[in-house]
Amino acid sequence: MGIYTIVGLTAAAFTTFSFLPQAIKVIKTKQTKDLSLVMYSVLTIGLFLWLTYGILVKDIPVIIANLITFIFAAIILIMKIKYK
Amino acid sequence: MGIYTIVGLTAAAFTTFSFLPQAIKVIKTKQTKDLSLVMYSVLTIGLFLWLTYGILVKDIPVIIANLITFIFAAIILIMKIKYK
């Protein structure tokens, strides 16, 4: 595996799993006042479109990375709507 | 431009600009208690790696999308550190 691919995969792992601690935080605290509802609405739609794009062009890394991020973002969005 | 490209570009625009309302919110309110410091630390590093990857593989859309998102995420991270 080349250095470029390693940088790309590390980048994807960081941006994908960055949302996990935020999801855990809102589940634990049920505090969502400072989170932007518009951000998580637009982000969740955007990640769903990325997932759709990955399926259309049959790109497995795009599908996997965006499916995981979509799940985290959707959890945060649901908690924001529930506990705003 | 094909339908696949339109879906991909729309996805990129949504995920990139989703962070703008969150950045505006923290600048206006200076309230960051509910934001995860770990999320914005890992995300900002991840976006910097994506930017580096884009430069390495000379991919203009990857460079532009991640540069803009990096700026928004870095603003939110700085506000989180300043007003935590």
Side-chain angles (χ1 to χ4, degrees):
Chain A
M1 199 188 294
I3 181 74
Y4 294 4
T5 307
I6 292 167
V7 173
L9 288 176
T10 310
F14 270 59
T15 51
T16 296
F17 287 100
S18 65
F19 292 92
L20 182 58
Q22 182 70 73
I24 292 170
K25 188 179 172 87
V26 294
I27 289 168
K28 272 188 180 168
T29 65
K30 296 180 176 58
Q31 297 289 315
T32 65
K33 180 178 60 67
D34 303 334
L35 301 182
S36 163
L37 177 62
V38 180
M39 166 178 162
Y40 281 97
S41 304
V42 175
L43 181 65
T44 304
I45 295 166
L47 290 166
F48 182 79
L49 289 172
W50 269 123
L51 183 58
T52 306
Y53 175 74
I55 292 165
L56 288 172
V57 300
K58 299 181 179 63
D59 186 319
I60 298 293
V62 171
I63 293 171
I64 292 171
N66 287 290
L67 178 61
I68 296 169
T69 320
F70 171 79
I71 292 167
F72 294 151
I75 290 170
I76 298 166
L77 177 61
I78 290 165
M79 297 299 281
K80 172 68 186 174
I81 292 166
K82 200 171 169 185
Y83 296 106
K84 69 177 169 183
Chain B
M1 200 187 294
I3 182 74
Y4 294 4
T5 307
I6 292 167
V7 173
L9 288 176
T10 310
F14 270 58
T15 51
T16 296
F17 287 99
S18 66
F19 291 92
L20 182 58
Q22 181 71 72
I24 292 169
K25 188 178 172 88
V26 293
I27 290 168
K28 274 188 178 168
T29 66
K30 297 181 175 59
Q31 297 289 315
T32 65
K33 181 178 60 67
D34 303 333
L35 302 182
S36 164
L37 177 63
V38 180
M39 167 181 161
Y40 281 97
S41 303
V42 175
L43 181 66
T44 305
I45 295 167
L47 291 165
F48 182 78
L49 289 172
W50 269 123
L51 183 59
T52 306
Y53 176 75
I55 292 165
L56 288 173
V57 300
K58 298 181 180 64
D59 186 320
I60 300 292
V62 170
I63 292 171
I64 294 170
N66 288 291
L67 178 62
I68 296 168
T69 320
F70 172 78
I71 292 166
F72 294 151
I75 290 169
I76 299 166
L77 177 61
I78 290 164
M79 297 299 281
K80 172 66 187 176
I81 291 166
K82 200 171 169 186
Y83 296 106
K84 72 178 170 184

